[in-house]
Amino acid sequence: ISHDLKTPITTIQGYALALKEGMVEQEEKKQRYLQTIYDKSVRVTNLVNNVFDLAKLENTTPQFQIQKHDIVEFLRKMAAEFYEQIEQKGMVLDFNTTVNKLDVPFDMKEMERVIANLLSNSILYNQSGTTIKMSLFEQDDTAIIEIADNGAGIPDELKDIIFSPFVRADTSRSSDGGTGLGLAIAKKIVEGHGGRLELVTGRDEYRTVFRIFLKK
């Protein structure tokens, strides 16, 4: 937390001081400094919010608004929301389901956060040409959601700790990447629904496969 907060705050302080003391004269450069200050402040806010959310999920009983929803329609809406981002990066979205309608009890707002995190990671950490696959199928009394991609994959040394706080799938990225808390929060949310979130390994076609299990 200290490192992830210190880096953007140091940048904010340095750029703000330069502007305050009139060290930046060119208007274009001023605007660039101001944009950087804003971007870094947003990152700090997101980090603080995520730390707070994770602390709540770990130390209190989650108060979810769980109701039955058609999870097929829910996933279609999530796919539609991310379709433009996926297309803009030159990726392909493959959506498929073995059922046309399936009512499952879940908190729509919180589950949106889980799916959004998994899709965002696939977009962020992979290159153009990657296929992202969203699947839904049933197994006995359980609905199973898969978010998979055939991109770069997760390094072997991170697979066992990928759901731990502050672990990033691409450790070479700068501090402008994610906070490393998204998957930890997603796992807690799914567990709060009585389900589980797993990273599936050993699949050749899709190197990264996350699977969500929810009771029907």
Side-chain angles (χ1 to χ4, degrees):
I1 295 174
S2 175
H3 175 270
D4 281 9
L5 283 174
K6 185 176 181 179
T7 301
I9 288 175
T10 298
T11 302
I12 290 170
Q13 288 176 335
Y15 279 29
L17 182 62
L19 291 168
K20 175 178 175 292
E21 296 190 351
M23 298 168 61
V24 185
E25 296 182 356
Q26 296 178 345
E27 185 60 30
E28 182 182 347
K29 196 171 184 180
K30 285 182 181 179
Q31 292 304 315
R32 192 165 68 247
Y33 275 34
L34 289 169
Q35 184 64 51
T36 300
I37 289 171
Y38 174 76
D39 291 343
K40 297 294 184 181
S41 69
V42 168
R43 174 173 169 72
V44 170
T45 299
N46 289 339
L47 177 58
V48 171
N49 286 341
N50 283 343
V51 168
F52 180 65
D53 289 343
L54 183 59
K56 283 196 303 182
L57 288 166
E58 287 185 334
N59 297 298
T60 63
T61 302
Q63 300 297 314
F64 295 142
Q65 303 298 315
I66 296 179
Q67 298 179 6
K68 279 206 168 186
H69 304 280
D70 179 4
I71 200 164
V72 179
E73 182 61 22
F74 165 73
L75 291 174
R76 285 198 181 108
K77 288 181 179 178
M78 293 298 300
E81 286 182 17
F82 279 85
Y83 183 79
E84 186 174 352
Q85 290 183 47
I86 293 169
E87 189 178 51
Q88 284 180 347
K89 197 165 178 181
M91 296 176 166
V92 176
L93 177 63
D94 178 12
F95 180 88
N96 64 85
T97 173
T98 60
V99 292
N100 294 320
K101 181 176 172 35
L102 181 61
D103 289 331
V104 175
F106 63 94
D107 184 315
M108 186 172 291
K109 181 179 177 181
E110 296 297 333
M111 201 54 62
E112 281 178 359
R113 187 171 186 179
V114 173
I115 302 300
N117 177 267
L118 296 175
L119 289 175
S120 295
N121 283 347
S122 287
I123 297 168
L124 177 63
Y125 294 122
N126 292 300
Q127 302 298 317
S128 174
T130 299
T131 296
I132 298 174
K133 184 178 181 181
M134 294 182 66
S135 306
L136 173 69
F137 54 95
E138 297 176 273
Q139 190 175 79
D140 300 325
D141 63 343
T142 304
I144 303 173
I145 303 167
E146 275 194 359
I147 308 291
D149 67 66
N150 61 355
I154 295 171
D156 289 339
E157 64 270 20
L158 297 183
K159 287 178 180 177
D160 291 336
I161 59 170
I162 195 65
F163 294 107
S164 300
F166 298 105
V167 172
R168 296 187 181 93
D170 185 348
T171 54
S172 68
R173 288 185 179 268
S174 70
S175 61
D176 291 328
T179 62
L181 293 173
L183 284 175
I185 292 172
K187 185 175 176 65
K188 291 294 182 182
I189 290 172
V190 174
E191 289 174 348
H193 282 72
R196 68 183 193 274
L197 171 60
E198 298 178 350
L199 172 65
V200 182
T201 58
R203 297 273 289 271
D204 294 330
E205 183 180 1
Y206 290 94
R207 299 183 65 187
T208 302
V209 181
F210 287 98
R211 190 175 283 176
I212 301 167
F213 298 82
L214 295 173
K215 292 293 183 182
K216 294 190 290 185

